[in-house]
């Protein structure tokens, strides 16, 4: 099994969408895809209704996902840890124990724009268009990730 973790701040907007999108592109008998937030605000919560809606629009059902917080054991449990933005990157790296942990952490948009460290913008305080924009960015990145792994 290859194990991939998507990380954002709240684990209700960006990373659950990234999880759902990547899962849809990979065979479930060979890959585990999960998501987590660096913050604990939304532990146990369903994804934001706007993320659920944009996923549904493109045939991805994330309504049954539940928020959880990133923790140090995730460095052992996952092969690849994709963060959505610079702040997520700093938060995750700050609890890494060694170089092996650090090397697992990647900016998801570096799959599309190598080495630029671009952010997937946090859509939480914006409108529906922000979620559409995030969906398109994540879909493009996840297509590249899936093609590189299958
Ligand atoms: P996410 O978005 O990190 O993409 O899940 C956010 C969700 C909630 C909050 C911030 C960002 N919040 O402050 O509650």
């Amino acid at each position: 099994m290859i194990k991939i973790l998507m990380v954002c701040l709240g684990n209700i907007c960006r990373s659950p969408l990234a999880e759902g999108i990547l899962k849809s592109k990979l065979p479930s008998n060979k890959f585990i895809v999960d998501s987590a937030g660096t913050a604990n605000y939304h532990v146990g919560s369903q994804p934001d209704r706007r993320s659920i809606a944009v996923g549904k629009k493109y045939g991805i059902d994330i309504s049954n996902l539940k928020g959880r917080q990133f923790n140090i054991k995730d460095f052992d449990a996952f092969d690849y840890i994709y963060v959505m933005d610079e702040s997520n990157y700093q938060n995750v790296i700050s609890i890494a124990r060694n170089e092996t942990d650090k090397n697992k952490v990647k900016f998801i948009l570096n799959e599309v724009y190598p080495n630029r460290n671009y952010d997937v913008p946090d859509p939480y305080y914006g409108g529906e268009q922000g979620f559409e924009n995030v969906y398109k960015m994540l879909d493009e990145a996840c297509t590249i990730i899936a093609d590189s792994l299958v």
Side-chain angles (χ1 to χ4, degrees), residues 7-146:
V7 176
C8 64
L9 174 61
N11 193 211
I12 55 166
C13 297
R14 292 165 293 177
S15 62
L17 257 186
E19 174 185 343
I21 293 168
L22 187 60
K23 268 185 189 154
S24 77
K25 297 179 191 289
L26 290 173
S28 61
N29 61 332
K30 293 196 180 124
F31 293 90
I32 289 174
V33 185
D34 191 12
S35 64
T38 58
N40 64 1
Y41 323 134
H42 300 286
V43 171
S45 302
Q46 202 182 28
D48 187 284
R49 61 181 169 73
R50 296 163 295 178
S51 280
I52 293 175
V54 77
K56 191 171 175 193
K57 177 175 168 187
Y58 293 102
I60 309 258
D61 181 8
I62 60 166
S63 62
N64 59 351
L65 300 182
K66 292 269 177 292
R68 75 168 180 91
Q69 189 172 23
F70 180 83
N71 70 83
I72 204 158
K73 286 184 243 151
D74 288 318
F75 287 115
D76 297 322
F78 292 92
D79 303 299
Y80 301 97
I81 298 170
Y82 285 107
V83 297
M84 302 296 130
D85 66 26
E86 171 73 28
S87 151
N88 310 149
Y89 185 82
Q90 295 304 341
N91 286 323
V92 170
I93 286 288
S94 72
I95 61 166
R97 299 156 299 184
N98 51 46
E99 286 304 304
T100 307
D101 287 357
K102 286 183 188 165
N103 289 336
K104 291 184 178 182
V105 188
K106 297 171 192 309
F107 284 79
I108 193 166
L109 287 187
N110 280 358
E111 299 292 324
V112 186
Y113 309 101
N115 306 314
R116 302 282 183 89
N117 298 354
Y118 287 151
D119 290 349
V120 178
D122 184 346
Y124 188 62
Y125 294 104
E128 315 288 331
Q129 189 55 42
F131 285 78
E132 185 77 30
N133 184 35
V134 163
Y135 185 92
K136 295 212 163 105
M137 289 178 168
L138 293 177
D139 188 53
E140 195 176 4
C142 288
T143 296
I144 296 170
I145 293 169

